Amino acid sequence: GAGVSQSPRYKVAKRGQDVALRCDPISGHVSLFWYQQALGQGPEFLTYFQNEAQLDKSGLPSDRFFAERPEGSVSTLKIQRTQQEDSAVYLCASSLGRAPSYEQYFGPGTRLTVT
Amino acid sequence: SQKIEQNSEALNIQEGKTATLTCNYTNYSPAYLQWYRQDPGRGPVFLLLIRENEKEKRKERLKVTFDTTLKQSLFHITASQPADSATYLCALDKDGSSNTGKLIFGQGTTLQVKP
């Protein structure tokens, strides 16, 4: 079956450009998560949606980061005025969002390089 | 805030041996703990979830233990194979006993199984 897909897989942006990263979760998954992963580190939580509601955005590094999931399925992570420190892999994950299991299904990630 | 520590040094073992990876956390005892596998260039893949009231969980050649007194989980791969070579990530629920599924991850331990 189809898993979580992300696009683009690779993105090179000049400093100051805006970027938009897309995530297509598994159909029917209520919860959607965005993570940022630096080289050699584990994923770091950015934000969380339950259906279309953004319930937690405490991990977003600055107000340049914005995420949306307007219809409760596809999500977009937007980064405005990119900086070099934004270079990382951005992972999207989805889950059924209910007990007893909270296992998350991850996409392959988008590798963002800001030059 | 909760912190997770995994051995950042790579673990090198011989094929057929048992690999043991450690995950320590510093603060509250989580409602559950998860282990993921991540291969280069890919998103993490869920392996096992263990709840706070479970001491041990098994799945095929994998075994996870959870000691809330020691604040530690051990992840074992028995009869290891070169195909088990990957980075293994430990993850806890971000907000203690929340039921949202938001996770914080350790930095991961890289396992290399030599034939």
Side-chain angles (χ1 to χ4, degrees):
Chain A
V4 178
S5 61
Q6 292 187 245
S7 60
R9 288 294 314 277
Y10 304 92
K11 177 70 180 176
V12 178
K14 289 190 190 306
R15 190 161 59 97
Q17 279 186 334
D18 298 349
V19 297
L21 313 179
R22 178 187 169 107
C23 172
D24 284 81
I26 294 173
S27 177
H29 277 196
V30 169
S31 299
L32 185 144
F33 308 84
W34 283 98
Y35 295 88
Q36 180 189 62
Q37 187 172 27
L39 192 64
Q41 300 297 314
E44 285 200 14
F45 171 83
L46 293 177
T47 187
Y48 156 63
F49 290 85
Q50 190 172 68
N51 297 306
E52 68 279 2
Q54 188 176 22
L55 299 185
D56 188 332
K57 53 181 180 179
S58 61
L60 295 176
S62 75
D63 58 8
R64 296 186 295 104
F65 286 71
F66 171 76
E68 59 183 6
R69 193 186 186 198
E71 297 177 357
S73 56
V74 171
S75 177
T76 304
L77 177 67
K78 298 179 179 177
I79 309 173
Q80 297 177 324
R81 304 181 303 282
T82 51
Q83 304 293 316
Q84 283 195 317
E85 61 262 28
D86 300 335
S87 295
V89 174
Y90 291 85
L91 294 164
C92 173
S94 69
S95 78
L96 284 171
R98 60 175 181 268
S101 173
Y102 296 103
E103 62 182 275
Q104 297 187 15
Y105 296 82
F106 283 81
T110 294
R111 181 177 296 277
L112 172 66
T113 303
V114 181
T115 61
Chain B
S1 61
Q2 182 72 284
K3 288 189 179 176
I4 303 173
E5 295 167 357
Q6 293 185 256
N7 193 342
S8 57
E9 289 185 15
L11 178 63
N12 295 296
I13 64 168
Q14 206 66 35
E15 182 176 8
K17 300 291 186 185
T18 295
T20 298
L21 286 69
T22 305
C23 173
N24 295 294
Y25 57 93
T26 59
N27 201 347
Y28 55 80
S29 279
Y32 57 84
L33 184 149
Q34 301 185 25
W35 284 89
Y36 287 78
R37 168 184 173 141
Q38 188 171 26
D39 291 283
R42 295 176 178 260
V45 174
F46 172 81
L47 295 175
L48 280 168
L49 178 151
I50 187 165
R51 300 191 174 279
E52 60 180 336
N53 60 349
E54 298 175 315
K55 292 198 171 176
E56 184 179 296
K57 204 90 172 268
R58 291 176 185 259
K59 179 182 175 183
E60 297 171 354
R61 293 183 296 110
L62 308 180
K63 184 178 87 170
V64 172
T65 63
F66 194 5
D67 189 326
T68 55
T69 302
L70 293 179
K71 296 190 176 182
Q72 181 180 82
S73 175
L74 298 179
F75 177 81
H76 306 272
I77 306 175
T78 58
S80 59
Q81 304 166 1
D84 295 326
S85 299
T87 296
Y88 291 87
L89 298 160
C90 165
L92 311 177
D93 60 285
K94 181 175 176 289
D95 297 324
S97 59
S98 71
N99 60 357
T100 61
K102 293 180 289 184
L103 298 175
I104 56 171
F105 284 84
Q107 77 269 38
T109 298
T110 298
L111 171 67
Q112 187 73 34
V113 181
K114 298 182 179 178

